[in-house]
Amino acid sequence: MFDSHKHLLSTKMKSLLFSACLVGGVSLLTSCDSQSSTTDDNTAQMDKNTAASQTDTSAPVTTDNNEIAIDKEPITTETSPPDDQMVGPSGYQKLSFGQVVTPALLADLGLTKQESDNEQCYYVSDPKQYYMDQAYGKRASVLYQVIDGKVALITIRDPKTPFYTGVHVGDAVTAVMSAHDDSLTYEVDKYAVDGDFYNLIANVNFIVTGDADAGTLLKKDDIKLNNANDTLPIQVEYHIKGGQKLSNNTISETEWTVENKRALQGEVESIDIGIPEAIYLVEGCS
């Protein structure tokens, strides 16, 4: 009987050990599956994060119209266009002030002459450089004025054409004053009795040494060039629209008052740069 009881205990012990092993094995398998699932999930998430981090963030963002959205960047020394692609005291592209203009040169540069019977004074432009004006339609972005066979003036009419002072067509008059440290001569347009159209003129490469009054054409005896290498005096004239008449029709750069500066209004309609003889022509070549 003792042997029988011993055999029964042995059988129960084996059964208990087998059950314990079975439960332990199941738990171990469950733990392994759970750990494997967690590992797989983590791996998938890491793959997603890696793919996202490797995405080319420099790719252009498109708008609803599938057009590339370009952010405007401020013009700096690094981002400014080359000198020949920016209107300035040296001229624009392949034309400079005082340069002799011939039919052969115009043909070589692809410039066309505007209709005019005045051979001493006329305008030329590049037909490939134009913009769409809301009031006038298709217009030349830049005009070159030729006087006595030489480049005398360059006019900017397109807001996208860069100018060396950083001012663009459409900018507020405050931007003009800031670009020239308020050293500008004010004069009301001849036909704008209310001062809604006026001009701001800056001397670029010379100082006035004579007794010339504001708004009058400067003569050779009135100026002194800043640089001995310069051969022509250059001025800038900003044509402003949307203004109001100030206390005087003309204000020299040394006669500004705080009240006059604060009263300035309007925006740039066009920009001229050239020799004084061209700047002070009231009606262009007509």
Side-chain angles (χ1 to χ4, degrees):
M1 185 173 178
F2 177 78
D3 290 339
S4 175
H5 182 69
K6 184 179 180 180
H7 177 72
L8 181 60
L9 287 176
S10 177
T11 301
K12 288 183 177 180
M13 288 294 295
K14 288 180 180 180
S15 177
L16 289 173
L17 287 174
F18 176 77
S19 299
C21 290
L22 181 61
V23 171
V26 171
S27 299
L28 181 62
L29 289 176
T30 303
S31 175
C32 289
D33 288 343
S34 175
Q35 184 175 359
S36 175
S37 176
T38 302
T39 303
D40 290 342
D41 290 343
N42 290 338
T43 302
Q45 184 62 40
M46 290 177 62
D47 290 340
K48 289 181 181 180
N49 293 338
T50 302
S53 65
Q54 292 177 348
T55 301
D56 185 5
T57 58
S58 63
V61 180
T62 58
T63 63
D64 293 338
N65 296 327
N66 203 31
E67 296 176 347
I68 295 176
I70 301 177
D71 292 332
K72 293 183 179 180
E73 296 182 359
I75 296 178
T76 64
T77 304
E78 292 76 15
T79 61
S80 61
D83 290 342
D84 63 342
Q85 297 300 315
M86 179 169 53
V87 179
S90 61
Y92 183 52
Q93 295 185 340
K94 296 183 179 181
L95 287 178
S96 57
F97 296 108
Q99 182 176 354
V100 176
V101 176
T102 63
L105 177 63
L106 295 180
D108 182 57
L109 298 179
L111 301 177
T112 57
K113 179 181 177 182
Q114 295 191 350
E115 294 183 8
S116 173
D117 296 330
N118 189 343
E119 292 300 322
Q120 281 69 47
C121 182
Y122 58 90
Y123 292 91
V124 299
S125 62
D126 186 343
K128 297 187 297 296
Q129 286 188 301
Y130 65 90
Y131 73 106
M132 298 305 296
D133 185 270
Q134 291 182 352
Y136 301 99
K138 184 177 179 179
R139 303 185 79 194
S141 298
V142 175
L143 293 176
Y144 301 90
Q145 186 180 30
V146 180
I147 299 178
D148 295 332
K150 299 178 181 179
V151 178
L153 186 83
I154 298 176
T155 297
I156 300 174
R157 301 192 300 194
D158 184 357
K160 294 182 180 179
T161 301
F163 190 52
Y164 84 104
T165 64
V167 178
H168 290 76
V169 171
D171 284 351
V173 66
T174 51
V176 177
M177 296 293 285
S178 176
H180 293 275
D181 295 326
D182 297 352
S183 297
L184 293 150
T185 297
Y186 166 92
E187 61 177 25
V188 175
D189 187 274
K190 178 181 178 180
Y191 301 104
V193 294
D194 294 330
D196 50 344
F197 289 92
Y198 63 93
N199 307 316
L200 291 174
I201 302 174
N203 302 328
V204 175
N205 61 344
F206 66 90
I207 60 174
V208 178
T209 60
D211 297 327
D213 296 327
T216 61
L217 175 61
L218 298 173
K219 300 178 182 178
K220 290 183 179 180
D221 296 336
D222 298 325
I223 65 176
K224 178 182 179 182
L225 295 172
N226 298 333
N227 192 329
N229 294 326
D230 289 339
T231 58
L232 292 173
I234 300 296
Q235 290 181 308
V236 175
E237 183 175 35
Y238 299 91
H239 297 275
I240 312 296
K241 64 179 180 179
Q244 63 178 7
K245 191 172 183 178
L246 302 184
S247 56
N248 298 313
N249 286 336
T250 59
I251 301 174
S252 70
E253 60 181 77
T254 59
E255 296 175 338
W256 284 99
T257 65
V258 174
E259 291 74 17
N260 283 336
K261 291 178 182 178
R262 289 177 178 173
L264 280 178
Q265 297 180 3
E267 65 180 38
V268 179
E269 183 178 40
S270 63
I271 304 173
D272 290 341
I273 182 170
I275 61 176
E277 289 86 346
I279 291 289
Y280 283 96
L281 285 177
V282 178
E283 299 178 10
C285 290
S286 58

